[in-house]
Amino acid sequence: MNIFRPDYLVDDIFSLPLTALKEKNITNILFDVDNTIVPYNSHDLSEEAIRWFHETTAKGFHLCLLSNNSAQRVAPVAARLGIDFVARAKKPLQNGAKRAMELFGAPKEQIALVGDQLLTDTACGNIAGFTTIVVKPLNPDELWITKWHRNYEKILYRLMGIKR
């Protein structure tokens, strides 16, 4: 198994294959925060994103944030969306993924992880046995380590034969 290969590549959260996920009995979705649902270092959720999260919950999905960031950073975003969160997840390590599974009370086969990075989000989800979905980053403004990771991601995409 290539731990960096996502199951789905989409432009943004609004393009998630919700019907396909439901058909696979995946009703629990974890979301990275920075550059996945809000720009890096911002709490500015768009009204469209807030509406999408509420509509997706109404469709029977259980949603949760899974972030390497602090609770201080993640809690306000989760509160605006009305969902749970796991902070300091230490992705790609499995501590946060296990805590999220406990929150959901669901087996790994019923969980998807959505994020913008192969080296943290996709690797974490694949190691955990989740379905993985990569979105394009919302903003090129990123933490220095993330910019460094992006260079390796370019190589990984090329090796996997994925145009991004």
Side-chain angles (χ1 to χ4, degrees):
M1 169 175 71
N2 184 342
I3 65 168
F4 302 114
R5 182 179 293 279
D7 295 299
Y8 297 93
L9 290 147
V10 298
D11 287 339
D12 51 40
I13 62 169
F14 311 110
S15 305
L16 291 181
L18 296 177
T19 302
L21 294 177
K22 270 256 171 125
E23 288 172 358
K24 291 174 138 185
N25 201 29
I26 297 169
T27 55
N28 305 279
I29 308 174
L30 297 166
F31 292 87
D32 177 49
V33 176
D34 288 318
N35 266 343
T36 298
I37 61 171
V38 295
Y40 166 70
N41 236 4
S42 170
H43 290 102
D44 296 334
L45 277 161
S46 69
E47 289 303 317
E48 181 184 20
I50 294 168
R51 188 172 38 257
W52 184 89
F53 272 85
H54 289 128
E55 289 171 358
T56 303
T57 300
K59 291 177 183 176
F61 287 92
H62 304 106
L63 310 177
C64 179
L65 302 181
L66 181 69
S67 176
N68 285 348
N69 227 312
S70 69
Q72 183 180 11
R73 163 82 175 114
V74 180
V77 177
R80 293 253 351 252
L81 298 172
I83 62 175
D84 286 325
F85 69 92
V86 174
R88 298 273 186 231
K90 300 180 182 176
K91 296 175 287 182
L93 301 177
Q94 296 300 288
N95 301 348
K98 288 176 184 173
R99 286 185 286 162
M101 282 179 64
E102 290 170 8
L103 274 175
F104 283 144
K108 62 187 177 187
E109 296 83 11
Q110 294 178 0
I111 300 173
L113 192 154
V114 179
D116 65 303
Q117 292 187 62
L118 298 178
L119 297 177
T120 55
D121 305 313
T122 302
C124 177
N126 283 338
I127 292 166
F130 303 157
T131 294
T132 53
I133 304 168
V134 172
V135 298
K136 292 180 181 174
L138 292 175
N139 188 326
D141 182 25
E142 299 180 298
L143 191 63
W144 70 269
I145 189 104
T146 306
K147 289 180 181 181
W148 186 70
H149 285 174
R150 297 286 183 214
N151 292 321
Y152 289 99
E153 285 184 353
K154 288 176 188 173
I155 295 167
L156 288 170
Y157 279 122
R158 191 170 54 246
L159 290 173
M160 292 185 287
I162 298 172
K163 293 199 183 235
R164 191 70 173 148

